[in-house]
Amino acid sequence: MAGLPGAPRTRSGSPGPYAALPALDGAFLRSPLGGLMVAQAVLGLLVWALIADTTYHLHAAYGWVMFVSIFFWILTVLFFVTYLLQLPLKFYMIPWPLVLMIFNATATVLYITAFVTCAAAVQPTSWRQWDYNRRAAASFFACLTMIAYGVSTFFSFRAWKGLGSNAATSQVTDHA
């Protein structure tokens, strides 16, 4: 690491102790996409935590809801960490805006099915009242998560198409 060009160095000229650590992107946290990813992670966590705290194994419909919520929660956290650590700059050959748009569109569609499944499976005459309350709350949060993924799909689509950038940025990226 000491001989690599571009490695951060201290005043003495030796590489710093944090030369291999990527920098955190504070601008991403303040962006709409970063805020939506945080919301998706929190809301998705609420969905699967509420379902997991019930007797979901007795109803096959909740297995699908658990799969969708846990699967997309894990992927959302991975994408969030990827963007927070600015890893798309290191792996520039991957079309990140397209990948993120496809991810968000897929999550939106599957969360629609999970929300409908979860809401349809809530039985108001349940013999376990706490299960009813948790399942109803999980349906509500699944709806909010679905909306958050839908809005992220819109922003991802705009980023993929290059909408919202200035003329200088689009000229540099189009002709470089």
Side-chain angles (χ1 to χ4, degrees), residues 1-4 7-20:
M1 187 76 193
L4 292 178
R9 299 190 177 275
T10 61
R11 288 182 188 212
S12 65
S14 63
Y18 304 107

Side-chain angles (χ1 to χ4, degrees), residues 4 10 15-16 19-20 22 26 37-38 58 83 89 96 109 113 122 140 150 163-164 169:
L4 292 178
T10 61
M37 278 189 176
V38 170
L58 299 176
Y83 275 90
L89 298 176
W96 288 102
V109 169
T113 64
V122 174
F140 173 74
L163 301 174
T169 306

Side-chain angles (χ1 to χ4, degrees), residues 65-79:
V65 177
M66 287 292 287
F67 168 74
V68 169
S69 59
I70 291 174
F71 180 74
F72 284 109
W73 181 78
I74 290 170
L75 287 180
T76 300
V77 169
L78 289 175
F79 270 115

Side-chain angles (χ1 to χ4, degrees), residues 10 20 24 29 99 174-175:
T10 61
L24 295 180
L29 287 175
V99 169
D174 289 343
H175 302 294

Side-chain angles (χ1 to χ4, degrees), residues 87-135:
L87 294 179
L89 298 176
K90 291 186 183 242
F91 301 104
Y92 56 88
M93 67 290 285
I94 298 172
W96 288 102
L98 178 63
V99 169
L100 195 61
M101 186 193 67
I102 291 170
F103 166 73
N104 285 322
T106 305
T108 302
V109 169
L110 291 182
Y111 251 104
I112 289 171
T113 64
F115 162 64
V116 170
T117 302
C118 190
V122 174
Q123 300 294 327
T125 57
S126 174
W127 61 277
R128 296 180 66 169
Q129 190 63 26
W130 59 87
D131 273 1
Y132 169 76
N133 291 338
R134 290 183 182 125
R135 290 176 182 163

